[in-house]
Amino acid sequence: MVRKPATLKDVAALANVSRATAARALNSYGYVGGETALKVQAAAEQLGYRSNRLAQALRNGQLPIVGCILGDIQNPFFARIAHDIEVIARERGHNLVIGSSEEVLQLEISLLGSLQSLSIRGFIVAPTSADDNGHLQQLVSNNVPLVLIDRVAEGVDCDSVVVDNEGGARKAVEYLITMGHRRIGLLQDDMRIFTSRERRSGYRAALSANGISLDDRMIAVSQSTVEHAVDATIRLFSQKAPPTALFTVDSLMTQGALLAFRSMGISIPHDVSLIGFDDFNLATFTDPQITVVSQPVSEIGRVAARLLFERLSGQDAPPQKIRFETKLVVRGSVSRHSAG
Amino acid sequence: MVRKPATLKDVAALANVSRATAARALNSYGYVGGETALKVQAAAEQLGYRSNRLAQALRNGQLPIVGCILGDIQNPFFARIAHDIEVIARERGHNLVIGSSEEVLQLEISLLGSLQSLSIRGFIVAPTSADDNGHLQQLVSNNVPLVLIDRVAEGVDCDSVVVDNEGGARKAVEYLITMGHRRIGLLQDDMRIFTSRERRSGYRAALSANGISLDDRMIAVSQSTVEHAVDATIRLFSQKAPPTALFTVDSLMTQGALLAFRSMGISIPHDVSLIGFDDFNLATFTDPQITVVSQPVSEIGRVAARLLFERLSGQDAPPQKIRFETKLVVRGSVSRHSAG
DNA sequence: AATGTCTGTGAGATCGATCTCACATGGTTC
DNA sequence: GAACCATGTGAGATCGATCTCACAGACATT
């Protein structure tokens, strides 16, 4: 037997007042007699009354939930961000709905739609595609609060929190060049993804600034999972003239590269040098430790959540585009390459 | 200007029918004329109508959302589980609300309450405390579908999905004993937590089965974070007669132990042997690789989600208590201890 | 012709909380 | 005493979708 939770009506009946009065007593607005208020509160307590947020939301048009659509919570980068967003949401009396787009545009669209039909108050999204984003533009033009993280989307005019991907990638590749490398590999994920584009463009910029011509054979594309990255790395390094250094665009791919190198008997940094984008706990546990481009992960989620709540509280400032700096953290996975 | 989304009323008006008819046409139930149905569908299309799930939920009493309260999504173990649950929820047209209890009972209770007032359909919870669980019992007695994962809670009669913690711990410690160790350390988290208790009890069982008396100086308790585990490990190994082997109860603590050993200049497995509970990606990247007790992480979330949806679809079977086996994965972090 | 059955449709109630409005009091002020 | 206010309360509308019920017309059966 499912015991129905007590409603305002029940409370009102027990306290012998109307629903309106009960509501006033419990939410303390309007005029309520002192004695009446106590009676209502006692009744509420006795029945274990909790207001139905659903009904409230239907009435006032908005559910105190924020929606968060990320690539995959299993990626520690996104897990950290999701966690930080949840903490802030909780402080403001909101809950967090999470969806993984799995980097599939269609999934992102349908998730967003399903969350919109819940009258969710605002969204934080790491868009899968830098181009196909009519769904996001529509959100913005309907004035639904939206904050993009990790990636921006073309033509979508809203708050965003990203890092300097191009600069970070350039620093990494320039460092490799400084260390004498010229055949520098790039392990990247799908070009649809904003970060992938920017990091690639940093890679190119570094090469061309140093008079190294772009060589497609140095570039491998794979999905951003450890397994796919292993395969891609193996392909890249099975060539006749493999790279002498590798730059990977995210931590899962860095892990994949590490596994691939181990299985191929390639040693770091003796045989090949490695720099990954995005620091991760594993990077300091390996021998040698991995040199990485680190981003301020702990800031991204927090700042995005704060921006969202500013919008939710009705601020109508022009969109803020926040871009954090990245930092090259030199550890032991890069060695000097004797010119060959 | 916020453009209000179209409602059923708008669709009905455009199609020149009543709301009831429009609803019938769109949800295909009852009798609707063929032509009318088309008219309504066209109107819905034209207005971009999406039904308001909030209103639906208010009407039929349940929101197609499942709530998931875990210790911390940043723990890869929970991240994996959350991801798997979300995938299954999505297949069934549900969304996922996630809350981190941060292992604080009060937070777990308030999260649960706030989600309950949303008329959420069911919950998957990794309860913080093995004892204090009136809130969970109340849920069950109100017939709210609830599945416990990773940990069971005393007196809460519902579906659960856990692993054989005691057996896993025992296997680990017995292996250490077989390898000649007698001063075996235990790094565990709060005894409130179910897994912590069970794993400790496996540790004790193994010791006493082998005639080794329990020594409190061999046991360190800390919160389940890398940082706290580092401190606890350092304390444990700063004693005059430190353990010759260490068993850690989860992957974050294993990481902490690794960091502590490194900072203390203690080498694995030469100076100390190590086994951790729960396999984790890092374990195979270290040198030597870490021997662990592995649990079928990929099953836990999926099975829990399936159990929940069975309940949601109205099955009234007795609670299922699922317990997966664990496996000792021997790698390189344990060495034979010459009896001293 | 009377009764029955099948289609198709609309009016109105419902879910629970909130808010507007109207209506009471009792007291104050000119 | 008339006009006004502050205080306190309840009736009823509202949010959007759904469902029950009543009803109307078309056709078939006796």
Side-chain angles (χ1 to χ4, degrees), chain A residues 233-293:
Chain A
T233 306
I234 292 178
R235 262 180 276 123
L236 195 58
F237 283 82
S238 303
Q239 302 179 75
K240 251 182 266 150
T244 63
L246 178 65
F247 172 59
T248 54
V249 302
D250 75 26
S251 68
L252 295 178
M253 306 190 93
T254 312
Q255 284 180 51
L258 286 171
L259 285 177
F261 289 148
R262 180 199 292 169
S263 79
M264 297 175 82
I266 295 177
S267 111
I268 300 173
H270 182 263
D271 303 326
V272 65
S273 292
L274 176 67
I275 300 186
F277 204 109
D278 191 22
D279 201 359
F280 57 124
N281 64 352
L282 200 148
T284 61
F285 283 88
T286 52
D287 183 27
Q289 296 183 30
I290 311 299
T291 295
V292 298
V293 177

Side-chain angles (χ1 to χ4, degrees), chain B residues 10-239:
Chain B
D10 302 328
V11 173
L14 182 61
N16 256 318
V17 296
S18 70
R19 283 153 37 250
T21 303
R24 275 188 285 255
L26 293 174
N27 303 319
S28 42
Y29 73 93
Y31 292 109
V32 197
E35 210 167 315
T36 317
L38 291 177
K39 228 174 27 177
V40 172
Q41 274 149 22
E45 187 117 357
Q46 188 183 329
L47 295 175
Y49 170 75
R50 313 190 94 252
S51 75
N52 182 327
R53 287 166 71 198
L54 216 54
Q56 288 179 322
L58 178 62
R59 186 77 224 287
N60 68 29
Q62 285 184 323
L63 196 56
I65 289 188
V66 304
C68 190
I69 300 182
L70 306 171
D72 178 3
I73 346 170
Q74 285 185 84
N75 184 329
F77 174 75
F78 286 130
R80 173 66 194 261
I81 289 175
H83 176 263
D84 292 343
I85 294 173
E86 199 235 320
V87 169
I88 292 187
R90 195 194 300 148
E91 285 169 4
R92 322 266 173 131
H94 283 58
N95 292 112
L96 181 66
V97 177
I98 277 197
S100 293
S101 71
E102 322 272 6
E103 305 298 0
V104 174
L105 179 63
Q106 201 44 56
L107 205 46
E108 176 180 317
I109 294 177
S110 79
L111 270 170
L112 208 52
S114 104
L115 296 187
Q116 257 195 288
S117 64
L118 280 175
S119 312
I120 277 188
R121 294 198 63 195
F123 295 93
I124 295 180
V125 178
T128 281
S129 170
D131 306 314
D132 290 327
N133 42 40
H135 55 303
L136 298 174
Q137 289 177 30
Q138 201 183 333
L139 224 54
V140 172
S141 70
N142 285 357
N143 260 15
V144 177
L146 170 67
V147 178
L148 300 181
I149 53 171
D150 189 42
R151 315 162 180 179
V152 299
E154 206 130 313
V156 180
D157 193 37
C158 66
D159 295 330
S160 60
V161 183
V162 300
V163 303
D164 178 16
N165 292 293
E166 175 162 353
R170 192 181 327 181
K171 269 183 271 187
V173 176
E174 272 170 355
Y175 176 65
L176 289 171
I177 295 171
T178 311
M179 294 297 274
H181 295 273
R182 309 204 43 98
R183 284 209 312 287
I184 299 173
L186 171 68
L187 178 54
Q188 63 161 86
D189 51 351
D190 200 309
M191 278 296 283
R192 257 179 336 152
I193 302 177
F194 173 77
T195 48
S196 192
R197 289 188 189 185
E198 288 213 324
R199 291 171 194 173
R200 177 195 198 129
S201 117
Y203 165 85
R204 293 182 157 191
L207 292 187
S208 76
N210 288 274
I212 303 177
S213 61
L214 199 68
D215 181 350
D216 278 343
R217 286 168 302 182
M218 293 293 110
I219 298 180
V221 177
S222 90
Q223 276 181 49
S224 175
T225 69
V226 175
E227 293 72 23
H228 285 95
V230 169
D231 295 344
T233 306
I234 291 178
R235 261 181 278 124
L236 197 56
F237 283 83
S238 302
Q239 303 179 75

Side-chain angles (χ1 to χ4, degrees), chain A residues 143-305:
Chain A
N143 261 15
V144 178
L146 171 66
V147 177
L148 301 181
I149 52 171
D150 189 42
R151 316 161 178 178
V152 298
E154 206 131 311
V156 180
D157 193 35
C158 65
D159 295 328
S160 60
V161 182
V162 300
V163 302
D164 179 17
N165 293 294
E166 174 161 354
R170 191 182 325 180
K171 269 182 272 187
V173 177
E174 271 171 357
Y175 176 64
L176 290 170
I177 295 172
T178 311
M179 295 296 275
H181 294 275
R182 307 205 42 99
R183 283 208 316 285
I184 299 173
L186 172 69
L187 178 54
Q188 63 161 88
D189 52 350
D190 199 310
M191 278 296 282
R192 258 180 335 153
I193 301 177
F194 173 77
T195 47
S196 193
R197 289 190 189 184
E198 287 213 325
R199 291 169 196 175
R200 178 195 198 128
S201 120
Y203 165 85
R204 292 184 159 190
L207 292 187
S208 79
N210 288 274
I212 303 176
S213 62
L214 200 67
D215 182 348
D216 277 343
R217 287 167 302 182
M218 295 293 111
I219 297 180
V221 175
S222 92
Q223 276 180 49
S224 174
T225 69
V226 174
E227 294 73 22
H228 284 95
V230 169
D231 295 345
T233 306
I234 292 178
R235 262 180 276 123
L236 195 58
F237 283 82
S238 303
Q239 302 179 75
K240 251 182 266 150
T244 63
L246 178 65
F247 172 59
T248 54
V249 302
D250 75 26
S251 68
L252 295 178
M253 306 190 93
T254 312
Q255 284 180 51
L258 286 171
L259 285 177
F261 289 148
R262 180 199 292 169
S263 79
M264 297 175 82
I266 295 177
S267 111
I268 300 173
H270 182 263
D271 303 326
V272 65
S273 292
L274 176 67
I275 300 186
F277 204 109
D278 191 22
D279 201 359
F280 57 124
N281 64 352
L282 200 148
T284 61
F285 283 88
T286 52
D287 183 27
Q289 296 183 30
I290 311 299
T291 295
V292 298
V293 177
S294 84
Q295 29 185 357
V297 198
S298 64
E299 288 298 311
I300 297 177
R302 288 218 298 262
V303 169

Side-chain angles (χ1 to χ4, degrees), chain A residues 1-3 50-55 57-58 63 65 72-74 79-80 82-84 86-87 90 95-100 102 107 111 113-115 117-119 141-143 255 258-259 262 281-282 284-287 289, chain B residues 1-3 50-55 57-58 63 65 72-74 79-80 82-84 86-87 90 95-100 102 107 111 113-115 117-119 141-143 255 258-259 262 281-282 284-287 289:
Chain A
M1 196 72 56
V2 180
R3 200 185 323 149
R50 313 191 94 249
S51 75
N52 183 327
R53 287 165 72 197
L54 216 56
L58 178 61
L63 196 57
I65 288 187
D72 177 3
I73 345 169
Q74 284 185 83
R80 173 67 194 261
H83 175 264
D84 292 343
E86 199 234 320
V87 169
R90 194 194 299 147
N95 293 113
L96 181 66
V97 177
I98 278 197
S100 292
E102 322 271 5
L107 206 46
L111 269 171
S114 104
L115 296 188
S117 65
L118 281 176
S119 313
S141 70
N142 284 356
N143 261 15
Q255 284 180 51
L258 286 171
L259 285 177
R262 180 199 292 169
N281 64 352
L282 200 148
T284 61
F285 283 88
T286 52
D287 183 27
Q289 296 183 30
Chain B
M1 197 71 55
V2 181
R3 201 188 321 150
R50 313 190 94 252
S51 75
N52 182 327
R53 287 166 71 198
L54 216 54
L58 178 62
L63 196 56
I65 289 188
D72 178 3
I73 346 170
Q74 285 185 84
R80 173 66 194 261
H83 176 263
D84 292 343
E86 199 235 320
V87 169
R90 195 194 300 148
N95 292 112
L96 181 66
V97 177
I98 277 197
S100 293
E102 322 272 6
L107 205 46
L111 270 170
S114 104
L115 296 187
S117 64
L118 280 175
S119 312
S141 70
N142 285 357
N143 260 15
Q255 283 181 48
L258 286 170
L259 285 177
R262 182 199 290 169
N281 65 354
L282 200 147
T284 61
F285 283 89
T286 51
D287 184 26
Q289 296 182 30

